[in-house]
């Protein structure tokens, strides 16, 4: 079956790729099916892109609120805070750690607060936390002084002593 190709495009394109001068005889079912499949793939990619963008914006909004909450609760306006997200469970739980007194990150005792729930008035709920000694990795065996949900949630290792610090809790309104 020969294809009626456009004469001026023939030298530039192979015969099977050249544009047609007229529609082939028949109902065009194959063209409709191909177009439908391409439109469906395009819609799928559009929905996936929008979903990914919205999720990223929501995560960034939550992380900004986490940093603001830590600064509000502790009363320290430190900029070098570390944030650990729950990437395995896809939850909205983050742990924000920062020094209890001024200095380079990790040089002094750190307080880590567990943030959960939605952002309310620019802040998130804090239901517990723990302390880390200077220059220690954030591992359960190094955590001590667990309080609130961190004590009951198994955030501290077997040697982690549970204690309630002086009013370091905030519940979003």
């Amino acid at each position: 079956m020969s294809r009626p190709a456009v004469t001026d495009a023939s030298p530039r394109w192979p015969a099977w790729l050249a544009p047609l001068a007229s529609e082939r005889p028949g109902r065009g079912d194959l063209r409709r099916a191909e177009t439908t499949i391409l439109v469906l793939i395009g819609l799928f990619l559009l929905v996936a892109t929008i979903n990914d963008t919205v999720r990223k914006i929501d995560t960034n909004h939550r992380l900004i609120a986490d940093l603001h909450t830590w600064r509000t609760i502790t009363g320290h306006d430190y900029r070098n805070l570390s944030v650990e997200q729950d990437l395995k469970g896809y939850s909205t739980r983050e742990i924000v750690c920062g020094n209890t007194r001024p200095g380079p990150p990790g040089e002094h005792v750190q307080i880590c607060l567990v943030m959960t729930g939605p952002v309310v008035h620019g802040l998130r709920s804090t239901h517990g936390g723990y302390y880390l000694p200077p220059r220690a990795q954030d591992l359960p065996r190094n955590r001590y002084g667990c309080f609130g949900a961190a004590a009951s949630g198994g955030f501290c290792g077997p040697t982690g002593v549970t204690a309630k610090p002086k009013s370091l809790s905030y519940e979003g309104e």
Side-chain angles (χ1 to χ4, degrees):
M1 174 190 254
S2 89
R3 294 173 47 123
V6 177
T7 56
D8 60 75
S10 294
R12 290 181 273 173
W13 298 96
W16 60 273
L17 192 57
L20 299 177
S22 63
E23 186 68 38
R24 283 192 246 164
R27 298 185 322 213
D29 290 338
L30 180 62
R31 182 175 46 85
R32 282 191 209 109
E34 289 172 345
T35 303
T36 302
I37 289 171
L38 285 174
V39 166
L40 289 175
I41 289 172
L43 285 174
F44 174 76
L45 290 174
L46 177 69
V47 168
T49 302
I50 290 172
N51 183 45
D52 188 43
T53 303
V54 167
R55 184 172 179 178
K56 189 68 160 173
I57 289 170
D58 184 47
T59 302
N60 289 343
H61 181 63
R62 210 172 56 235
L63 292 176
I64 291 168
D66 289 342
L67 298 175
H68 183 65
T69 302
W70 189 94
R71 291 179 186 119
T72 300
I73 291 173
T74 62
H76 301 301
D77 193 23
Y78 301 154
R79 297 290 169 210
N80 292 327
L81 303 174
S82 65
V83 179
E84 178 186 327
Q85 293 181 286
D86 180 21
L87 298 176
K88 293 181 183 176
Y90 296 106
S91 71
T92 61
R93 184 190 76 211
E94 280 91 29
I95 300 171
V96 182
C97 296
N99 288 344
T100 55
R101 56 183 208 191
E107 268 311 298
H108 302 289
V109 173
Q110 291 190 7
I111 184 167
C112 300
L113 301 176
V114 180
M115 314 280 180
T116 57
V119 176
V120 179
H121 302 296
L123 299 170
R124 289 193 59 205
S125 294
T126 303
H127 299 286
Y130 53 87
Y131 291 91
L132 281 175
R135 294 176 292 286
Q137 288 183 331
D138 190 1
L139 300 172
R141 69 172 182 257
N142 295 334
R143 299 170 182 165
Y144 70 94
C146 282
F147 55 94
S152 60
F155 280 85
C156 290
T159 59
V161 180
T162 59
K164 183 165 177 132
K166 48 188 184 287
S167 74
L168 277 180
S169 64
Y170 168 80
E171 292 294 325
E173 298 173 10

